[in-house]
Amino acid sequence: MSRTQKRSGRDGATTAEASAPERGGGAATQERGGGRGGAGAVQSVDRAVSVLEILARHGEAGVTEIADELDVHKSTAFRLLGVLENRGLVAQAKDRGKYYLGAGVLRLAGAAAVRLDISQEGVPVCREVADELGETVNIAVLDDDAAVNIMQARGTASVTAQNWLGRRSPLHATSSGKVLLAHLPPTLREGLLARPLHRFTERTVTGAAMLRAELEAVVEQGYAMTVEELELGLAAVAAPVRSHDGKVIGAITVSGPVYRLHADRLPEVAKRAVAAGAELSRRMGYGF
C-alpha cells in the first residue's frame, strides 16, 4: 500500500477518499504528476486564487462548500486551504470550522491601497505646486531597488513633453530615491548601498560612504536635492510623504532644467516641496 493510501486526508477523509480521482476528469492524477511545475503548478495557483475569491464572495465557507465550487475532492480543497492558512491568507473559525480571509490578504491589499491612496490624494497637492512653481511635480514610491513615479503634474514652464509616470529611477541618483533610501530601515538601506552604484553623469555619487553622509543630511534637513546626477541639465528636489504611522511611504519631487532650478532658487523650491510633502502626509493621516 502506498504512503498516500495509508494516510488519511487532513480533513478526516477516508483512505479511499484520499486516493480517489477528483471530480474534475482525473485532475488529481495530473496534480500529483505535475504538481512541482508545468500545468499542475499553474492549476494549483489558479485553484488557490479561486479559493480566495470564493471566501471574498461568501465571507466564510467550509471545506465541502469550497470543494463543490472548485469541483475538486475535499482533500484537495483542504490542502489548498492549509497552504493559504500557513501564509496567513485565510484563517479558520475554530468554533464553526469555516474559513475566512486572513490578515495576510489585508496586508497585501493595504500595500496596493497605499499606492492608490497616495496617488489620488496627491493630485490636488501636485497640481497646486506645479501651477505655483511652473515645474514638473511627481510622486514616487519605493519599488524594490528603485523609485517609481506613480503620479505627475506638469507646470506651465515645462517646455518638454517628457513623461516620468511609471518610470523606475535609481535610488542613489535621484532626489526622490535619496529620500526613500534615507528613511529605509538600516539593514535594508545597507543592503542596497552594498550593491554597485552606477554612474550616470560626472556628478553621480557612486561611493557608499559619501552617499551615507548625504542620506544623513537628507533626514536632518527634511529634503533631498540632486543637480545633474541622473541626467545632464536636470535638477530636482524631493521631500518625504508619511503615512498615518509616520512611516515614509513616498516622496514628492519638483524637477526642472538647471537654468531654472539654479542654486539661488533651489532653497525656495525645497521649502515648497517640504510643505507639499507635509500637506500630502496630512491627507494620508499623519499628525492626527
Side-chain angles (χ1 to χ4, degrees):
M1 184 177 289
S2 69
R3 184 175 60 181
T4 303
Q5 291 173 321
K6 289 179 182 178
R7 195 174 55 203
S8 64
R10 291 177 58 187
D11 57 346
T14 64
T15 301
E17 287 176 330
S19 59
E22 298 183 34
R23 291 189 297 275
T29 304
Q30 295 173 11
E31 188 177 81
R32 286 195 296 269
R36 290 184 178 273
V42 173
Q43 184 183 57
S44 296
V45 172
D46 182 69
R47 286 174 172 171
V49 173
S50 295
V51 170
L52 297 177
E53 291 176 339
I54 290 168
L55 295 179
R57 188 165 60 249
H58 296 300
E60 62 178 22
V63 176
T64 300
E65 298 169 77
I66 292 171
D68 286 343
E69 288 214 32
L70 292 178
D71 194 24
V72 299
H73 197 275
K74 283 175 61 177
S75 59
T76 296
F78 202 91
R79 285 196 298 272
L80 290 169
L81 286 163
V83 172
L84 293 171
E85 187 175 16
N86 288 338
R87 300 303 294 267
L89 297 176
V90 304
Q92 186 178 21
K94 302 302 180 185
D95 56 334
R96 299 186 304 279
K98 297 197 177 227
Y99 290 85
Y100 56 91
L101 293 178
V105 173
L106 296 177
R107 184 178 65 251
L108 297 176
V114 164
R115 287 197 176 197
L116 181 62
D117 289 347
I118 193 175
S119 180
Q120 291 178 338
E121 294 294 340
V123 171
V125 178
C126 292
R127 185 71 268 164
E128 181 180 353
V129 177
D131 290 344
E132 180 182 328
L133 299 180
E135 307 296 349
T136 299
V137 181
N138 284 279
I139 295 174
V141 296
L142 186 68
D143 185 19
D144 191 19
D145 60 349
V148 60
N149 293 291
I150 61 172
M151 192 271 155
Q152 177 174 284
R154 288 198 183 96
T156 55
S158 300
V159 294
T160 64
Q162 185 171 17
N163 185 9
W164 294 88
L165 197 61
R167 177 171 172 178
R168 287 170 53 86
S169 303
L171 297 176
H172 70 288
T174 58
S175 58
S176 60
K178 289 183 180 182
V179 165
L180 297 170
L181 194 56
H183 291 90
L184 279 178
T187 302
L188 292 178
R189 183 173 60 247
E190 287 304 312
L192 291 171
L193 290 179
R195 301 179 183 183
L197 302 176
H198 182 70
R199 181 177 296 280
F200 296 93
T201 73
E202 291 184 358
R203 291 177 174 265
T204 306
V205 178
T206 58
M210 183 179 295
L211 186 55
R212 281 192 195 93
E214 280 197 23
L215 297 179
E216 290 178 6
V218 168
V219 174
E220 184 177 344
Q221 66 195 14
Y223 63 87
M225 198 180 287
T226 55
V227 178
E228 296 187 303
E229 292 188 34
L230 180 64
E231 295 181 10
L232 293 177
L234 178 68
V237 179
V241 177
R242 300 179 184 273
S243 63
H244 65 91
D245 59 0
K247 180 181 177 181
V248 173
I249 55 173
I252 187 165
T253 306
V254 181
S255 61
V258 291
Y259 66 82
R260 284 203 308 267
L261 295 186
H262 46 74
D264 292 338
R265 193 185 178 209
L266 279 174
E268 168 207 341
V269 174
K271 183 177 180 180
R272 188 64 184 89
V274 170
E279 170 60 18
L280 184 48
S281 298
R282 185 191 67 77
R283 287 172 172 263
M284 298 299 294
Y286 180 63
F288 290 96

